[in-house]
Amino acid sequence: QAKESGKDRVELFSDATRARLLRRIEVEQLLRAALEEGLLEVHYQPQVDVSTGRLVGVEALARWSEASPAEFIPVAEETGLIGPLGAWVLATATRDLAGWHARGLTPLTVTVNVSTRQLEDPDFPIVVATALATADLAPECLCLELTESALMGAGDASLHCLRMLKDLGIYVGIDDFGTGHSSLARLKSLPVEVLKVDRSFIDGLGTEPEDSAIVHAILSLAHALGLHVIAEGVETPLQAHQLAALGCGVAQGFLWSPAVPADQIPAQAEIGTGARPRMNRHRGE
Ligand code: C2E
Ligand code: MG
Ligand code: MG
Ligand code: MG
């Protein structure tokens, strides 16, 4: 065994590590070119009012043929490409939202994911304000979402940036809430208005009592702090029914739709109304 670890040290990298590093370099180069050539897309996942089934918003999710967001977003963050990528997603999402509004899909909001790396750029509020102004949108139409773990590590400059965005009238939300160990003191001081319950707690809604208890606790906390709540990762009518019963107003998930290209959004205006009879059937079970 000693011999083996000695050999490892001489080799420096295992085959697996070397393959990972090479792939990372490849993704960086391809992503840089894809951004320049306009090869990325934004897809939109519908967000539904659980009690009426109506489409109330969409979440913008970056799409690229070469890799999943789980692979290319971290590379973009490490290399700084998240700056141009994020600005492009913002410009695209606000332009698409203005187009839906013009077609009568209103009220409708768009949520855009933001990395803390973007908040560290002092020009970020200008990037956001410019996107809104170019699309001629009111700031209340836009929600910027940061993951809970990213927010917990955010420094003073990032928090200052968030406060400026909130003062502009934009909504700021915490993504994947419940997984990032935020202290309640920290939560109280953050300039956020929306909590998005992580999908790991939605999984067992209606089947695991602990998940229902956690979602219930998050809803109480949000209510006490005057925050909006949205649930992500809803896959079954039972979960949707449980959310409605717990008083969680808005949700998104494969039950209604995955993220789809922009031109498919207008057809989704009544998306959740078809799911209601199925939810009602659960109520009778
Ligand atoms: P997120 O913001 O938490 O987005 C939700 C993810 O869950 C999306 O994965 C979505 O496709 C997936 N999802 C939605 N409904 C369901 C469901 O019912 N069940 C399951 N199992 N999954 C569901 P996606 O698109 O692969 O994105 C992954 C993450 O990448 C996002 O997590 C977000 O953190 C990040 N991301 C995506 N686009 C952007 C972007 O433009 N900028 C930044 N900074 N991050 C982005
Ligand atoms: Mg998100
Ligand atoms: Mg999330
Ligand atoms: Mg997530």
Side-chain angles (χ1 to χ4, degrees):
Q1 183 147 27
K3 223 178 177 181
E4 251 176 46
S5 61
K7 190 178 141 224
D8 277 349
R9 240 173 273 140
V10 173
E11 272 183 357
L12 219 55
F13 298 124
S14 67
D15 286 351
T17 305
R18 189 182 306 114
R20 248 195 328 273
L21 283 169
L22 287 174
R23 171 65 180 163
R24 206 196 142 288
I25 292 165
E26 183 190 23
V27 167
E28 177 185 347
Q29 287 170 348
L30 289 173
L31 183 60
R32 201 176 290 279
L35 274 168
E36 273 165 22
E37 291 161 32
L39 298 180
L40 275 82
E41 279 182 79
V42 181
H43 284 192
Y44 299 92
Q45 182 171 41
Q47 298 176 327
V48 174
D49 178 324
V50 180
S51 57
T52 64
R54 300 249 340 161
L55 181 74
V56 293
V58 294
E59 175 172 9
L61 293 160
R63 290 289 179 266
W64 181 33
S65 57
E66 296 299 320
S68 71
E71 185 174 18
F72 73 79
I73 293 292
V75 173
E77 288 174 343
E78 286 163 32
T79 55
L81 286 173
I82 196 69
L85 191 161
W88 174 79
V89 171
L90 262 170
T92 305
T94 46
R95 190 194 59 219
D96 285 340
L97 181 65
W100 297 319
H101 283 180
R103 294 184 57 170
L105 268 182
T106 170
L108 191 73
T109 62
V110 69
T111 295
V112 174
N113 294 284
V114 169
S115 303
T116 38
R117 190 78 196 259
Q118 291 170 268
L119 292 182
E120 287 159 14
D121 176 0
D123 284 339
F124 185 64
I126 297 171
V127 170
V128 177
T130 304
L132 283 170
T134 305
D136 196 18
L137 284 175
E140 308 82 55
C141 297
L142 177 64
C143 179
L144 299 180
E145 204 167 75
L146 289 113
T147 64
E148 185 184 19
S149 43
L151 267 177
M152 291 314 118
D156 286 346
S158 300
L159 292 180
H160 177 71
C161 186
L162 270 190
R163 230 160 258 123
M164 285 180 69
L165 291 165
K166 192 188 174 190
D167 290 344
L168 282 174
I170 293 154
Y171 283 91
V172 177
I174 306 186
D175 205 352
D176 304 343
F177 187 75
T179 59
H181 318 284
S182 28
S183 77
L184 296 180
R186 175 93 166 161
L187 184 61
K188 192 183 83 173
S189 70
L190 284 174
V192 301
E193 295 98 343
V194 183
L195 297 185
K196 184 178 273 185
V197 184
D198 189 68
R199 94 165 165 256
S200 58
F201 306 118
I202 306 303
D203 270 352
L205 262 193
T207 51
E208 313 271 341
E210 293 84 359
D211 283 339
S212 304
I214 289 169
V215 175
H216 185 78
I218 294 176
L219 282 162
S220 312
L221 176 68
H223 189 226
L225 295 175
L227 305 173
H228 300 279
V229 177
I230 169 160
E232 72 175 349
V234 179
E235 295 182 352
T236 68
L238 177 61
Q239 291 164 346
H241 172 59
Q242 295 285 313
L243 285 171
L246 286 168
C248 181
V250 181
Q252 63 189 80
F254 295 163
L255 171 63
W256 295 286
S257 174
V260 295
D263 61 5
Q264 289 180 32
I265 289 297
Q268 313 248 26
E270 308 289 334
I271 186 169
T273 50
R276 273 170 88 202
R278 283 194 283 149
M279 286 162 60
N280 289 340
R281 226 176 290 147
H282 266 282
R283 205 169 289 156
E285 272 169 18

